[in-house]
């Protein structure tokens, strides 16, 4: 049985096609076959230079549009214009395209620019291709920290006011969610993590296990299991994801594990 799950075309008759592709954490073994196929099927690949490098082996004979960090909006507009012109375009980003990725931005730009009555070359199909997000990649390297309810918060205040971030951190900590923190630092900015830790300590013991994963499944990968008290003793960067346990999370050797609750129902020791 095979089913097509691509979203309906934006308009009646598709000309080009726009794939929004998550590449996973970085290692080609974690690039899904569907993501690979989408890139292979495209004649143009658009992305931030660092991500383009991750798939350079797939780019032979393709037009490549690589831009720098601040060029997301520009990249989204260009990809849309190319798809409108009849091209098959893959917009690539790390992890999952729909988790702090390019997928939502492309839809936002489309909403602003597409005329509802648009016909002909303005019309194309969109398909979002999922990838392994940093949260899954980091969790796998830490053991099993996301076995119970968790919340994900980006500490980047470039697009979200810090008061909102602080409020969400406080709510998630108060309700005992395991926390995944994306974007803990942009360049030399360390205050967000200092402040996040302070908020979490309002509701959580300093001995709460915490994992710090940098460059998961990439050269230079680093995995640290520590606790909330010592969270700031380690370096974090643009490629770091943190996981802070809930009140039940425990350390087991090098691993960090959040129990699902089986122990309450079953005698796990046999
Ligand atoms: N779309 C991406 C997230 C982009 S936001 C995804 O789904 O994973 C960028 C943030 O993702 C980084 O600041 C970092 O917190 C996290 N990240 C991306 N790649 C990573 C990797 N290889 N290892 C650890 N964290 C990573």
């Amino acid at each position: 049985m095979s089913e097509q799950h691509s979203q309906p075309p934006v308009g009646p008759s598709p000309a080009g096609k726009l794939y929004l592709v998550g590449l996973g954490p970085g290692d080609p073994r974690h690039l899904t076959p569907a993501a690979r196929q989408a890139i292979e099927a495209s004649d143009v690949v658009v992305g931030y230079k660092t991500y383009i490098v991750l798939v350079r082996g797939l780019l032979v004979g393709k037009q490549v549009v690589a831009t720098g960090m601040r060029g997301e909006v520009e990249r989204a507009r260009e990809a849309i214009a190319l798809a409108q012109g009849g091209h098959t375009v893959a917009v690539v980003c790390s992890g999952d395209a729909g988790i702090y990725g390019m997928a939502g931005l492309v839809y936002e730009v489309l909403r602003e620019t597409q005329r509802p009555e648009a016909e002909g070359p303005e019309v194309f199909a969109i398909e979002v291709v999922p990838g392994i997000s940093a949260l899954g990649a980091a969790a796998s390297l830490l053991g099993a920290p996301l076995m119970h309810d968790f919340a994900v918060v980006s500490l980047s205040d470039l697009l979200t006011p810090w008061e909102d971030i602080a409020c969400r951190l406080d709510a998630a900590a108060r309700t005992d969610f395991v926390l995944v923190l994306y974007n803990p630092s942009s360049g030399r900015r360390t205050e967000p993590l200092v402040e996040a830790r302070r908020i979490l300590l309002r509701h959580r013991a300093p001995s709460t296990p915490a994992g710090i994963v940098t460059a998961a499944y990439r050269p230079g990968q680093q995995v640290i299991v520590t606790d909330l008290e010592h969270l700031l003793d380690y370096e974090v960067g643009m490629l770091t994801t943190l996981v802070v346990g809930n009140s039940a999370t425990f350390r087991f050797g090098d691993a960090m594990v959040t129990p699902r609750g089986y122990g309450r129902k079953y005698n796990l020791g046999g």
Side-chain angles (χ1 to χ4, degrees):
M1 198 178 72
S2 94
E3 259 183 79
Q4 273 297 329
H5 286 287
S6 51
Q7 281 88 338
V10 180
S13 64
K17 171 131 189 173
L18 189 50
Y19 288 105
L20 305 166
V21 184
L23 301 177
D27 184 323
R29 289 184 312 137
H30 293 111
L31 179 78
T32 70
R36 183 182 295 272
Q37 279 164 18
I39 295 167
E40 280 166 358
S42 300
D43 52 282
V44 189
V45 178
V46 179
Y48 177 48
K49 347 188 224 329
T50 319
Y51 307 144
I52 291 281
V53 169
L54 293 177
V55 288
R56 59 175 169 257
L58 299 175
L59 302 178
V60 180
K62 298 186 193 301
Q63 183 187 338
V64 175
V65 181
T67 53
M69 194 58 150
R70 305 258 161 201
E72 296 111 348
V73 176
E74 189 189 314
R75 241 181 291 151
R77 285 209 191 103
E78 179 137 17
I80 290 166
L82 285 159
Q84 282 168 343
H87 289 278
T88 299
V89 184
V91 176
V92 298
C93 59
S94 81
D96 186 283
I99 299 182
Y100 307 118
M102 286 293 290
L105 175 58
V106 166
Y107 278 111
E108 282 189 71
V109 171
L110 270 176
R111 186 178 65 168
E112 293 304 315
T113 55
Q114 183 103 350
R115 293 177 295 123
E117 70 281 12
E119 283 173 18
E122 250 191 315
V123 174
F124 57 91
I126 300 182
E127 185 171 335
V128 183
V129 183
I132 296 174
S133 189
L135 68 90
S140 71
L141 295 167
L142 291 168
L146 304 183
M147 282 294 295
H148 213 308
D149 302 342
F150 62 94
V152 186
V153 178
S154 166
L155 299 188
S156 169
D157 58 0
L158 286 176
L159 301 169
T160 307
W162 177 258
E163 304 79 71
D164 293 0
I165 298 172
C167 178
R168 286 172 194 169
L169 285 170
D170 185 81
R174 194 157 17 89
T175 45
D176 208 29
F177 280 103
V178 175
L179 264 154
V180 181
L181 305 178
Y182 278 66
N183 294 301
S185 103
S186 317
R188 271 173 278 113
R189 235 169 31 103
T190 53
E191 315 88 71
L193 189 58
V194 174
E195 183 58 16
R197 175 178 169 276
R198 209 180 57 74
I199 294 168
L200 301 188
L201 280 170
R202 287 180 196 153
H203 308 284
R204 243 162 248 196
S207 60
T208 305
I212 306 171
V213 178
T214 299
Y217 299 103
R218 294 195 197 196
Q221 169 181 297
Q222 206 185 15
V223 182
I224 290 157
V225 177
T226 178
D227 55 29
L228 204 43
E229 180 169 7
H230 297 97
L231 193 69
L232 304 176
D233 297 356
Y234 303 90
E235 206 172 314
V236 301
M238 309 259 277
L239 268 184
T240 303
T241 298
L242 295 108
V243 180
V244 179
N246 67 12
S247 58
T249 304
F250 62 90
R251 286 170 76 165
F252 185 72
D254 289 342
M256 173 177 166
V257 181
T258 302
R260 177 83 196 279
Y262 290 102
R264 277 201 294 266
K265 216 171 160 192
Y266 302 99
N267 174 7
L268 297 181

